Amino acid sequence: MIAILGAGAMGRLWAASLPAHETAFVPRPGQTNTAPAHFHFQEADGHSRQVTVSWLSAADSPALVLITTKAGDSTEAVEHLADWLPATTPIVLFQNGLGSQQAVAERWPDRPVLAATTTEGANRPAPDQLVHAGTGDTWIGPLTKPAEQNLYGVIARLSASGLSIHAEQDILGRLWQKLIINAGINPFTALLNCRNGDILSADLYRAHIDGLCQEIAGLMDTIGRGPADAKDLRQSIEAVARGTAQNISSMRSDVLSGKRTEIDYINGYIVRLGQSLNIATPVNRMLTEQVQQLSSG
Ligand SMILES: NC(=O)c1ccc[n+]([C@@H]2O[C@H](COP(=O)([O-])OP(=O)(O)OC[C@H]3O[C@@H](n4cnc5c(N)ncnc54)[C@H](OP(=O)(O)O)[C@@H]3O)[C@@H](O)[C@H]2O)c1
């Protein structure tokens, strides 16, 4: 049994892809509704089917837990889990950005905590509908020492989903690569209310992208993740913006639907890291504050 905490788009994608009856959603503390979750799943190849997922009961003993909440919710979610989950059960964190993963790993260093980063895309156009919008790859790697021996077992279990999964020993390095792309695209799409490709010709983007890349490259060099060249970072960001030109970023989508964004774990993570190292990050700070204002407004 694989327990999934966070019955949103990502959690439902894994529940729908893993063999039926092998997954269960973890209820929120105090949640009393135990009727199974039913939803309509539109697969990436266009086929559709109904999916039913039960809720984990006290009698269940999961072999693995996937945390598929947003980054801002993951530590609190694991806090509730840690009350009853055996200390040897692997926990896989699926959050975007950086900061939330390290917070969980530092809080529970003796548990097998792993992180995942994925290019799968899923969304919920309605509460009972899940669309697998794009297939991709998922990399999983250990964050804590005890997780090192669980990595291949976790990958074997999740491979039953049919999704493409790879082991990644330097998962933080891979999360950094994704962070660069998200930091250079997402806040601009949210502030400009535009599709990914449209940022490239916008004045806001053109005025700030070099400063943003210099701040990130400087930090990466300082923490030993370099050498990073600001021009290379800009090229990578622009290649992805062109390759996903018609996409609506998750940050823009969150703003449009009135949800809290993950800015605090993307550009906001860069700002906090800069503060801790006494390195100024004015462009990332400005973007973080403006997106925070946008979503709180
Ligand atoms: N969707 C994608 O295509 C995709 C791709 C790559 C990465 N990611 C990353 O994956 C993570 C999840 O994204 P998502 O799109 O699945 O978000 P989402 O649709 O908002 O799902 C998150 C779910 O977690 C639930 N939740 C929050 N706190 C909880 C708790 N304490 N106990 C139980 N459930 C809790 C939320 O419930 P409520 O709705 O009731 O708050 C929501 O259903 C994010 O970090 C995202 O950046 C997503």
mmCIF file of all heavy atoms in Angstrom, residues 144-182:
data_model
loop_
_atom_site.group_PDB
_atom_site.id
_atom_site.type_symbol
_atom_site.label_atom_id
_atom_site.label_comp_id
_atom_site.label_asym_id
_atom_site.label_seq_id
_atom_site.Cartn_x
_atom_site.Cartn_y
_atom_site.Cartn_z
ATOM 1 N N THR A 144 18.099 12.244 3.277
ATOM 2 C CA THR A 144 18.695 11.907 4.576
ATOM 3 C C THR A 144 19.496 10.614 4.427
ATOM 4 O O THR A 144 19.284 9.846 3.478
ATOM 5 C CB THR A 144 17.607 11.689 5.649
ATOM 6 O OG1 THR A 144 16.744 10.643 5.206
ATOM 7 C CG2 THR A 144 16.806 12.945 5.915
ATOM 8 N N LYS A 145 20.378 10.394 5.358
ATOM 9 C CA LYS A 145 21.239 9.202 5.319
ATOM 10 C C LYS A 145 20.416 7.898 5.250
ATOM 11 O O LYS A 145 20.674 7.048 4.388
ATOM 12 C CB LYS A 145 22.139 9.233 6.570
ATOM 13 C CG LYS A 145 23.220 8.214 6.588
ATOM 14 C CD LYS A 145 24.463 8.730 5.852
ATOM 15 C CE LYS A 145 25.484 7.617 5.697
ATOM 16 N NZ LYS A 145 26.106 7.573 4.386
ATOM 17 N N PRO A 146 19.393 7.722 6.129
ATOM 18 C CA PRO A 146 18.646 6.454 6.073
ATOM 19 C C PRO A 146 17.939 6.235 4.730
ATOM 20 O O PRO A 146 17.617 5.090 4.397
ATOM 21 C CB PRO A 146 17.610 6.587 7.203
ATOM 22 C CG PRO A 146 18.118 7.669 8.076
ATOM 23 C CD PRO A 146 18.939 8.587 7.229
ATOM 24 N N ALA A 147 17.715 7.307 3.973
ATOM 25 C CA ALA A 147 16.990 7.154 2.691
ATOM 26 C C ALA A 147 17.859 6.504 1.627
ATOM 27 O O ALA A 147 17.339 5.973 0.643
ATOM 28 C CB ALA A 147 16.507 8.519 2.200
ATOM 29 N N GLU A 148 19.171 6.528 1.829
ATOM 30 C CA GLU A 148 20.063 6.029 0.772
ATOM 31 C C GLU A 148 19.769 4.569 0.455
ATOM 32 O O GLU A 148 19.785 4.166 -0.699
ATOM 33 C CB GLU A 148 21.529 6.224 1.191
ATOM 34 C CG GLU A 148 21.908 7.702 1.164
ATOM 35 C CD GLU A 148 23.247 7.988 1.794
ATOM 36 O OE1 GLU A 148 23.979 7.028 2.123
ATOM 37 O OE2 GLU A 148 23.560 9.188 1.975
ATOM 38 N N GLN A 149 19.462 3.784 1.489
ATOM 39 C CA GLN A 149 19.231 2.359 1.237
ATOM 40 C C GLN A 149 17.822 2.084 0.719
ATOM 41 O O GLN A 149 17.513 0.956 0.330
ATOM 42 C CB GLN A 149 19.499 1.542 2.505
ATOM 43 C CG GLN A 149 18.515 1.816 3.621
ATOM 44 C CD GLN A 149 19.056 1.316 4.937
ATOM 45 O OE1 GLN A 149 20.167 1.659 5.348
ATOM 46 N NE2 GLN A 149 18.272 0.505 5.619
ATOM 47 N N ASN A 150 16.956 3.094 0.735
ATOM 48 C CA ASN A 150 15.582 2.900 0.263
ATOM 49 C C ASN A 150 15.379 3.292 -1.198
ATOM 50 O O ASN A 150 14.337 2.998 -1.779
ATOM 51 C CB ASN A 150 14.604 3.739 1.100
ATOM 52 C CG ASN A 150 14.493 3.232 2.508
ATOM 53 O OD1 ASN A 150 15.081 3.803 3.415
ATOM 54 N ND2 ASN A 150 13.766 2.148 2.694
ATOM 55 N N LEU A 151 16.373 3.986 -1.771
ATOM 56 C CA LEU A 151 16.146 4.617 -3.076
ATOM 57 C C LEU A 151 15.644 3.631 -4.127
ATOM 58 O O LEU A 151 14.618 3.866 -4.771
ATOM 59 C CB LEU A 151 17.438 5.318 -3.533
ATOM 60 C CG LEU A 151 17.375 5.956 -4.918
ATOM 61 C CD1 LEU A 151 16.264 6.997 -4.994
ATOM 62 C CD2 LEU A 151 18.724 6.604 -5.265
ATOM 63 N N TYR A 152 16.335 2.515 -4.310
ATOM 64 C CA TYR A 152 15.962 1.615 -5.415
ATOM 65 C C TYR A 152 14.659 0.866 -5.125
ATOM 66 O O TYR A 152 13.887 0.580 -6.041
ATOM 67 C CB TYR A 152 17.135 0.706 -5.778
ATOM 68 C CG TYR A 152 18.220 1.552 -6.432
ATOM 69 C CD1 TYR A 152 19.289 2.047 -5.686
ATOM 70 C CD2 TYR A 152 18.102 1.927 -7.765
ATOM 71 C CE1 TYR A 152 20.238 2.878 -6.269
ATOM 72 C CE2 TYR A 152 19.051 2.765 -8.358
ATOM 73 C CZ TYR A 152 20.116 3.234 -7.597
ATOM 74 O OH TYR A 152 21.035 4.076 -8.174
ATOM 75 N N GLY A 153 14.385 0.605 -3.853
ATOM 76 C CA GLY A 153 13.103 -0.013 -3.492
ATOM 77 C C GLY A 153 11.947 0.926 -3.801
ATOM 78 O O GLY A 153 10.906 0.511 -4.330
ATOM 79 N N VAL A 154 12.130 2.214 -3.480
ATOM 80 C CA VAL A 154 11.083 3.209 -3.753
ATOM 81 C C VAL A 154 10.846 3.312 -5.263
ATOM 82 O O VAL A 154 9.704 3.309 -5.740
ATOM 83 C CB VAL A 154 11.494 4.588 -3.160
ATOM 84 C CG1 VAL A 154 10.623 5.708 -3.706
ATOM 85 C CG2 VAL A 154 11.440 4.547 -1.636
ATOM 86 N N ILE A 155 11.935 3.346 -6.019
ATOM 87 C CA ILE A 155 11.794 3.468 -7.478
ATOM 88 C C ILE A 155 11.092 2.232 -8.053
ATOM 89 O O ILE A 155 10.208 2.352 -8.903
ATOM 90 C CB ILE A 155 13.172 3.719 -8.119
ATOM 91 C CG1 ILE A 155 13.558 5.166 -7.803
ATOM 92 C CG2 ILE A 155 13.136 3.488 -9.634
ATOM 93 C CD1 ILE A 155 14.917 5.562 -8.257
ATOM 94 N N ALA A 156 11.447 1.059 -7.541
ATOM 95 C CA ALA A 156 10.799 -0.168 -8.044
ATOM 96 C C ALA A 156 9.295 -0.114 -7.781
ATOM 97 O O ALA A 156 8.489 -0.419 -8.658
ATOM 98 C CB ALA A 156 11.421 -1.387 -7.377
ATOM 99 N N ARG A 157 8.909 0.319 -6.600
ATOM 100 C CA ARG A 157 7.463 0.362 -6.280
ATOM 101 C C ARG A 157 6.749 1.372 -7.154
ATOM 102 O O ARG A 157 5.671 1.107 -7.686
ATOM 103 C CB ARG A 157 7.266 0.757 -4.812
ATOM 104 C CG ARG A 157 7.351 -0.406 -3.852
ATOM 105 C CD ARG A 157 6.614 -0.085 -2.563
ATOM 106 N NE ARG A 157 5.226 -0.494 -2.611
ATOM 107 C CZ ARG A 157 4.753 -1.570 -1.996
ATOM 108 N NH1 ARG A 157 5.541 -2.330 -1.296
ATOM 109 N NH2 ARG A 157 3.472 -1.867 -2.070
ATOM 110 N N LEU A 158 7.359 2.556 -7.332
ATOM 111 C CA LEU A 158 6.669 3.595 -8.106
ATOM 112 C C LEU A 158 6.685 3.307 -9.601
ATOM 113 O O LEU A 158 5.847 3.813 -10.345
ATOM 114 C CB LEU A 158 7.283 4.971 -7.799
ATOM 115 C CG LEU A 158 7.042 5.480 -6.378
ATOM 116 C CD1 LEU A 158 7.686 6.850 -6.180
ATOM 117 C CD2 LEU A 158 5.539 5.560 -6.059
ATOM 118 N N SER A 159 7.622 2.462 -10.042
ATOM 119 C CA SER A 159 7.687 2.136 -11.469
ATOM 120 C C SER A 159 6.459 1.358 -11.930
ATOM 121 O O SER A 159 6.147 1.332 -13.123
ATOM 122 C CB SER A 159 8.959 1.344 -11.782
ATOM 123 O OG SER A 159 10.073 2.195 -11.571
ATOM 124 N N ALA A 160 5.744 0.749 -10.985
ATOM 125 C CA ALA A 160 4.493 0.052 -11.339
ATOM 126 C C ALA A 160 3.469 1.020 -11.930
ATOM 127 O O ALA A 160 2.479 0.605 -12.527
ATOM 128 C CB ALA A 160 3.923 -0.624 -10.099
ATOM 129 N N SER A 161 3.704 2.325 -11.767
ATOM 130 C CA SER A 161 2.803 3.347 -12.332
ATOM 131 C C SER A 161 2.902 3.417 -13.851
ATOM 132 O O SER A 161 2.008 3.942 -14.503
ATOM 133 C CB SER A 161 3.157 4.722 -11.759
ATOM 134 O OG SER A 161 4.492 5.053 -12.183
ATOM 135 N N GLY A 162 4.028 2.936 -14.401
ATOM 136 C CA GLY A 162 4.249 3.109 -15.840
ATOM 137 C C GLY A 162 4.835 4.479 -16.163
ATOM 138 O O GLY A 162 5.215 4.751 -17.308
ATOM 139 N N LEU A 163 4.937 5.367 -15.170
ATOM 140 C CA LEU A 163 5.563 6.676 -15.405
ATOM 141 C C LEU A 163 7.080 6.471 -15.451
ATOM 142 O O LEU A 163 7.601 5.486 -14.922
ATOM 143 C CB LEU A 163 5.184 7.662 -14.296
ATOM 144 C CG LEU A 163 3.670 7.909 -14.137
ATOM 145 C CD1 LEU A 163 3.395 8.853 -12.969
ATOM 146 C CD2 LEU A 163 3.067 8.483 -15.419
ATOM 147 N N SER A 164 7.758 7.391 -16.076
ATOM 148 C CA SER A 164 9.205 7.241 -16.279
ATOM 149 C C SER A 164 9.958 7.793 -15.053
ATOM 150 O O SER A 164 9.901 8.999 -14.781
ATOM 151 C CB SER A 164 9.570 8.005 -17.557
ATOM 152 O OG SER A 164 10.933 7.993 -17.737
ATOM 153 N N ILE A 165 10.639 6.896 -14.326
ATOM 154 C CA ILE A 165 11.244 7.288 -13.038
ATOM 155 C C ILE A 165 12.726 6.941 -13.030
ATOM 156 O O ILE A 165 13.116 5.870 -13.500
ATOM 157 C CB ILE A 165 10.545 6.541 -11.875
ATOM 158 C CG1 ILE A 165 9.036 6.792 -11.962
ATOM 159 C CG2 ILE A 165 11.067 7.001 -10.522
ATOM 160 C CD1 ILE A 165 8.234 5.934 -11.037
ATOM 161 N N HIS A 166 13.536 7.833 -12.505
ATOM 162 C CA HIS A 166 14.990 7.630 -12.489
ATOM 163 C C HIS A 166 15.541 7.920 -11.097
ATOM 164 O O HIS A 166 15.034 8.801 -10.396
ATOM 165 C CB HIS A 166 15.684 8.596 -13.461
ATOM 166 C CG HIS A 166 14.956 8.742 -14.759
ATOM 167 N ND1 HIS A 166 15.075 7.846 -15.789
ATOM 168 C CD2 HIS A 166 14.080 9.682 -15.187
ATOM 169 C CE1 HIS A 166 14.324 8.230 -16.798
ATOM 170 N NE2 HIS A 166 13.696 9.336 -16.461
ATOM 171 N N ALA A 167 16.620 7.205 -10.765
ATOM 172 C CA ALA A 167 17.330 7.495 -9.515
ATOM 173 C C ALA A 167 18.249 8.693 -9.743
ATOM 174 O O ALA A 167 18.862 8.815 -10.806
ATOM 175 C CB ALA A 167 18.166 6.292 -9.098
ATOM 176 N N GLU A 168 18.314 9.575 -8.752
ATOM 177 C CA GLU A 168 19.204 10.742 -8.838
ATOM 178 C C GLU A 168 19.878 10.923 -7.488
ATOM 179 O O GLU A 168 19.227 11.299 -6.502
ATOM 180 C CB GLU A 168 18.376 11.983 -9.204
ATOM 181 C CG GLU A 168 19.116 13.290 -9.129
ATOM 182 C CD GLU A 168 20.304 13.359 -10.091
ATOM 183 O OE1 GLU A 168 20.115 13.788 -11.239
ATOM 184 O OE2 GLU A 168 21.415 12.988 -9.641
ATOM 185 N N GLN A 169 21.179 10.623 -7.437
ATOM 186 C CA GLN A 169 21.873 10.754 -6.152
ATOM 187 C C GLN A 169 21.946 12.214 -5.711
ATOM 188 O O GLN A 169 21.797 12.513 -4.529
ATOM 189 C CB GLN A 169 23.285 10.151 -6.240
ATOM 190 C CG GLN A 169 23.308 8.644 -6.477
ATOM 191 C CD GLN A 169 22.675 7.827 -5.339
ATOM 192 O OE1 GLN A 169 22.526 8.323 -4.221
ATOM 193 N NE2 GLN A 169 22.291 6.592 -5.643
ATOM 194 N N ASP A 170 22.164 13.132 -6.663
ATOM 195 C CA ASP A 170 22.236 14.567 -6.310
ATOM 196 C C ASP A 170 20.892 15.229 -6.609
ATOM 197 O O ASP A 170 20.764 16.042 -7.515
ATOM 198 C CB ASP A 170 23.361 15.244 -7.104
ATOM 199 C CG ASP A 170 23.480 16.720 -6.735
ATOM 200 O OD1 ASP A 170 22.963 17.130 -5.663
ATOM 201 O OD2 ASP A 170 24.070 17.479 -7.528
ATOM 202 N N ILE A 171 19.887 14.857 -5.815
ATOM 203 C CA ILE A 171 18.542 15.371 -6.097
ATOM 204 C C ILE A 171 18.471 16.890 -5.840
ATOM 205 O O ILE A 171 17.750 17.609 -6.536
ATOM 206 C CB ILE A 171 17.460 14.588 -5.300
ATOM 207 C CG1 ILE A 171 16.063 14.914 -5.814
ATOM 208 C CG2 ILE A 171 17.578 14.803 -3.799
ATOM 209 C CD1 ILE A 171 15.747 14.418 -7.200
ATOM 210 N N LEU A 172 19.260 17.391 -4.873
ATOM 211 C CA LEU A 172 19.227 18.846 -4.641
ATOM 212 C C LEU A 172 19.787 19.582 -5.863
ATOM 213 O O LEU A 172 19.304 20.657 -6.231
ATOM 214 C CB LEU A 172 20.012 19.219 -3.380
ATOM 215 C CG LEU A 172 19.321 18.876 -2.050
ATOM 216 C CD1 LEU A 172 20.209 19.250 -0.867
ATOM 217 C CD2 LEU A 172 17.969 19.565 -1.920
ATOM 218 N N GLY A 173 20.799 18.986 -6.512
ATOM 219 C CA GLY A 173 21.351 19.603 -7.728
ATOM 220 C C GLY A 173 20.282 19.681 -8.813
ATOM 221 O O GLY A 173 20.148 20.696 -9.504
ATOM 222 N N ARG A 174 19.498 18.600 -8.939
ATOM 223 C CA ARG A 174 18.453 18.607 -9.960
ATOM 224 C C ARG A 174 17.340 19.594 -9.592
ATOM 225 O O ARG A 174 16.769 20.269 -10.453
ATOM 226 C CB ARG A 174 17.901 17.195 -10.161
ATOM 227 C CG ARG A 174 17.239 17.025 -11.495
ATOM 228 C CD ARG A 174 16.950 15.579 -11.795
ATOM 229 N NE ARG A 174 18.037 14.888 -12.434
ATOM 230 C CZ ARG A 174 18.310 14.924 -13.744
ATOM 231 N NH1 ARG A 174 17.567 15.658 -14.565
ATOM 232 N NH2 ARG A 174 19.311 14.242 -14.240
ATOM 233 N N LEU A 175 17.035 19.693 -8.295
ATOM 234 C CA LEU A 175 16.029 20.677 -7.858
ATOM 235 C C LEU A 175 16.519 22.101 -8.120
ATOM 236 O O LEU A 175 15.742 22.984 -8.462
ATOM 237 C CB LEU A 175 15.697 20.464 -6.380
ATOM 238 C CG LEU A 175 14.794 19.249 -6.096
ATOM 239 C CD1 LEU A 175 14.881 18.814 -4.638
ATOM 240 C CD2 LEU A 175 13.338 19.576 -6.459
ATOM 241 N N TRP A 176 17.829 22.326 -7.971
ATOM 242 C CA TRP A 176 18.392 23.642 -8.282
ATOM 243 C C TRP A 176 18.190 23.973 -9.769
ATOM 244 O O TRP A 176 17.838 25.099 -10.119
ATOM 245 C CB TRP A 176 19.897 23.683 -7.954
ATOM 246 C CG TRP A 176 20.197 24.377 -6.658
ATOM 247 C CD1 TRP A 176 20.504 23.787 -5.470
ATOM 248 C CD2 TRP A 176 20.202 25.795 -6.428
ATOM 249 N NE1 TRP A 176 20.696 24.756 -4.503
ATOM 250 C CE2 TRP A 176 20.518 25.985 -5.068
ATOM 251 C CE3 TRP A 176 19.960 26.902 -7.229
ATOM 252 C CZ2 TRP A 176 20.604 27.252 -4.491
ATOM 253 C CZ3 TRP A 176 20.037 28.176 -6.649
ATOM 254 C CH2 TRP A 176 20.357 28.331 -5.304
ATOM 255 N N GLN A 177 18.424 22.984 -10.647
ATOM 256 C CA GLN A 177 18.260 23.241 -12.086
ATOM 257 C C GLN A 177 16.825 23.653 -12.390
ATOM 258 O O GLN A 177 16.570 24.558 -13.190
ATOM 259 C CB GLN A 177 18.645 21.994 -12.912
ATOM 260 C CG GLN A 177 20.116 21.625 -12.827
ATOM 261 C CD GLN A 177 21.040 22.803 -13.153
ATOM 262 O OE1 GLN A 177 20.825 23.525 -14.125
ATOM 263 N NE2 GLN A 177 22.048 23.014 -12.325
ATOM 264 N N LYS A 178 15.889 22.994 -11.721
ATOM 265 C CA LYS A 178 14.477 23.351 -11.957
ATOM 266 C C LYS A 178 14.156 24.708 -11.347
ATOM 267 O O LYS A 178 13.375 25.487 -11.899
ATOM 268 C CB LYS A 178 13.548 22.262 -11.391
ATOM 269 C CG LYS A 178 12.115 22.460 -11.842
ATOM 270 C CD LYS A 178 11.274 21.223 -11.722
ATOM 271 C CE LYS A 178 9.886 21.488 -12.309
ATOM 272 N NZ LYS A 178 8.858 20.667 -11.680
ATOM 273 N N LEU A 179 14.777 24.979 -10.191
ATOM 274 C CA LEU A 179 14.542 26.268 -9.528
ATOM 275 C C LEU A 179 14.949 27.436 -10.434
ATOM 276 O O LEU A 179 14.253 28.455 -10.508
ATOM 277 C CB LEU A 179 15.342 26.326 -8.222
ATOM 278 C CG LEU A 179 15.139 27.593 -7.399
ATOM 279 C CD1 LEU A 179 13.899 27.468 -6.530
ATOM 280 C CD2 LEU A 179 16.346 27.873 -6.508
ATOM 281 N N ILE A 180 16.080 27.283 -11.108
ATOM 282 C CA ILE A 180 16.556 28.360 -11.995
ATOM 283 C C ILE A 180 15.489 28.678 -13.046
ATOM 284 O O ILE A 180 15.149 29.838 -13.288
ATOM 285 C CB ILE A 180 17.870 27.917 -12.700
ATOM 286 C CG1 ILE A 180 18.998 27.769 -11.689
ATOM 287 C CG2 ILE A 180 18.248 28.895 -13.812
ATOM 288 C CD1 ILE A 180 20.185 26.951 -12.209
ATOM 289 N N ILE A 181 14.954 27.614 -13.649
ATOM 290 C CA ILE A 181 13.952 27.799 -14.707
ATOM 291 C C ILE A 181 12.683 28.425 -14.130
ATOM 292 O O ILE A 181 12.142 29.401 -14.667
ATOM 293 C CB ILE A 181 13.604 26.433 -15.376
ATOM 294 C CG1 ILE A 181 14.876 25.734 -15.875
ATOM 295 C CG2 ILE A 181 12.565 26.608 -16.460
ATOM 296 C CD1 ILE A 181 15.669 26.484 -16.909
ATOM 297 N N ASN A 182 12.233 27.890 -13.007
ATOM 298 C CA ASN A 182 11.007 28.428 -12.401
ATOM 299 C C ASN A 182 11.192 29.878 -11.969
ATOM 300 O O ASN A 182 10.289 30.701 -12.118
ATOM 301 C CB ASN A 182 10.601 27.589 -11.185
ATOM 302 C CG ASN A 182 9.976 26.272 -11.584
ATOM 303 O OD1 ASN A 182 9.408 26.148 -12.664
ATOM 304 N ND2 ASN A 182 10.099 25.266 -10.740
#
